Amino acid sequence: MLIRILLASLSGLMLVLLFPPFGIALLAPLSLAPLCLALGREFRPAARFALGYVSGLVLWAGVCWWIAPVLAVHGGMGVFGGWGSFVLFCLLKSLHYGVFGLLAGVLIRHWYGPPSIALLWAVLERTQEPLTLFGWLMLGDAGIDMGLPLRMAPIAGVYGISFLFALTAACFSAILLKQPRTHVLWALLTLLPALLPPLPTSLRSQAHAALVQPNLPTANEVTTELYAEAKAHLVRLSLDALREGPADVVVWPETPGPMFYYEDPDLRARVNEVSAAANAPVLLGTIWRDRTGAPRNSALLAPSGVRYDKMFLVPFGEYVPALFSFVNQVSDEAGAYTPGEGITLVPVGGRKAGVFICYESAVGHHVRQFAAAGASVFFNISNDGYFFRTPAREQHLQLVRMRAAENRRWIVRATNNGITAVIDPSGTIREQIPSFDGRSARVAFGYVDEVTLFSLAGDWFIVFGALAVVAALIASQRPNYVKPRRRQPTAEHR
């Protein structure tokens, strides 16, 4: 059993190495192979669950360790409270991987095992956000710089790439387990991306934006004087970018301290000043209160007043899940935020644009709705100041890049202190402002009207994948319920 635990831990470690700060993406196609090998040699259900669970623990502890200092400092929990809550977080998040181990160990012994295991992995990835309220990096996100696997993104989303990587690992483990060659032939499916359209290369920019990265202090450091200076600083940086040339929109980030556009006449005056100088609208983050008095985190296009209310809130940042009711909120806004009811498109340069806020970049099935509704370009405003100088910044940007590839959309991203960037429809970073550098830039972006299959149909791949997994699990149990045929007596026994 010790060898199997080490193999499961190795898979967890390889998954950690895929993402920032390591970024060894070439490990992705084989990252699940050690776990599959361990599962193929384990017949006890509880042990298979434990093996998957161990992989999950290593993965979450290695990728999202930055959650602990965020809760300790910005959540006001202290070192022990922050790390204690993070341990509970890892224990909860690893349940998905325990389920994977339990079920994959059943499927791996059958001729349809490799594709069923790969689909199972992709389906369980999709259930992370709704079931545990937090979805982060998927296996497929490691393929953001791999041209061939990335062709799956506009077809099946990041989960299609996860399927390819998991299938490769499952077929490789079938070889090590000395299974029949028919099990390994499923590896031919990994050639599917070669038949898909290549990533766009001739990408023409048609518009410009003035991106502002103010590098403001975190919310718990803000005073009245600092808030006044912050507004003046945003105006100065905006005007600096406009001196480089005209812009179709000025983009301010989601700031670390609440900005109340509707309640702050001085803020409205400064936004109008920038809008008049640019002869273009200003996109900014603001807090407003609904009829019940509950705060909402929103993106506002001023002075037109078109507003999108954030729908997917940050656990611990904008609300505290019931299971963690003892944890303080990271945000200093009183009470939990209220999520928005639906998407809203904002007009930019005579076209329609979608705006998603901060953590929403991790929710691919949400972001794709903007393109399906007619958005020709995406804007992302975020405040990653709570991440300190941890790998969470690069991880967050990797998620945004995958959203660009899935929907074939330019994404113009403004953050408080990094990583502010422009990403083209192939997920490539075109322009970037260095982190922790208070500056602005006039950047180029483009519009795309074509709608990808993923943008239009969403999680069709996951739906069919879930049905296939259920069918495979039923088929795997059929021999246990089929009554064996009685042998007909021969003449000599009559």
Side-chain angles (χ1 to χ4, degrees), residues 251-273:
V251 187
W252 291 4
E254 180 189 34
T255 59
M259 299 184 73
F260 296 89
Y261 178 86
Y262 299 105
E263 302 174 17
D264 186 346
D266 179 62
L267 176 60
R268 292 198 301 273
R270 292 178 183 274
V271 170
N272 290 335
E273 174 189 353

Side-chain angles (χ1 to χ4, degrees), residues 314-328:
V314 182
F316 309 110
E318 294 163 322
Y319 79 104
V320 177
L323 182 62
F324 297 85
S325 58
F326 58 90
V327 177
N328 295 332

Side-chain angles (χ1 to χ4, degrees), residues 202-226:
S202 56
L203 300 165
R204 186 170 61 90
S205 58
Q206 308 131 300
H208 291 85
L211 280 183
V212 177
Q213 180 176 285
N215 194 26
L216 299 174
T218 53
N220 56 354
E221 300 170 348
V222 174
T223 63
T224 303
E225 293 75 15
L226 287 176

Side-chain angles (χ1 to χ4, degrees), residues 16-30:
V16 172
L17 295 176
L18 299 180
F19 306 110
F22 308 103
I24 311 177
L26 292 178
L27 294 175
L30 296 179

Side-chain angles (χ1 to χ4, degrees), residues 191-425:
L191 301 178
L192 178 62
L195 305 178
L196 300 176
L199 299 173
T201 53
S202 56
L203 300 165
R204 186 170 61 90
S205 58
Q206 308 131 300
H208 291 85
L211 280 183
V212 177
Q213 180 176 285
N215 194 26
L216 299 174
T218 53
N220 56 354
E221 300 170 348
V222 174
T223 63
T224 303
E225 293 75 15
L226 287 176
Y227 177 56
E229 172 56 27
K231 290 185 287 186
H233 186 47
L234 287 164
V235 173
R236 285 195 299 269
L237 291 177
S238 301
L239 298 179
D240 287 345
L242 293 172
R243 292 189 185 97
E244 301 176 18
D248 296 86
V249 61
V250 179
V251 187
W252 291 4
E254 180 189 34
T255 59
M259 299 184 73
F260 296 89
Y261 178 86
Y262 299 105
E263 302 174 17
D264 186 346
D266 179 62
L267 176 60
R268 292 198 301 273
R270 292 178 183 274
V271 170
N272 290 335
E273 174 189 353
V274 172
S275 179
N279 192 27
V282 177
L283 181 65
L284 72 153
T286 186
I287 306 299
W288 69 284
R289 297 180 183 278
D290 59 22
R291 294 179 180 178
T292 66
R296 299 200 183 200
N297 187 0
S298 306
L300 173 71
L301 191 72
S304 68
V306 181
R307 186 187 66 238
Y308 163 70
D309 301 329
K310 186 177 183 181
M311 297 176 63
F312 287 83
L313 304 177
V314 182
F316 309 110
E318 294 163 322
Y319 79 104
V320 177
L323 182 62
F324 297 85
S325 58
F326 58 90
V327 177
N328 295 332
Q329 275 186 216
V330 171
S331 170
D332 63 354
E333 180 63 28
Y337 284 82
T338 297
E341 288 84 17
I343 66 169
T344 302
L345 302 184
V346 301
V348 172
R351 308 291 283 270
K352 295 178 181 179
V355 185
F356 54 98
I357 304 173
C358 193
Y359 167 71
E360 289 185 319
S361 57
V363 191
H365 61 274
H366 169 63
V367 174
R368 68 98 188 165
Q369 294 184 62
F370 292 103
S376 301
V377 62
F378 291 165
F379 291 88
N380 172 231
I381 61 173
S382 184
N383 167 40
D384 289 356
Y386 294 117
F387 292 152
F388 303 106
R389 295 181 180 270
T390 69
R393 295 170 171 275
E394 290 76 18
Q395 293 174 6
H396 199 182
L397 179 62
Q398 194 159 343
L399 293 169
V400 178
R401 293 176 62 193
M402 184 57 70
R403 303 292 85 83
E406 287 174 335
N407 299 282
R408 288 290 187 264
R409 290 294 183 272
W410 290 81
I411 298 183
V412 182
R413 185 176 196 244
T415 68
N416 173 39
N417 55 15
I419 301 171
T420 296
V422 177
I423 304 159
D424 70 23

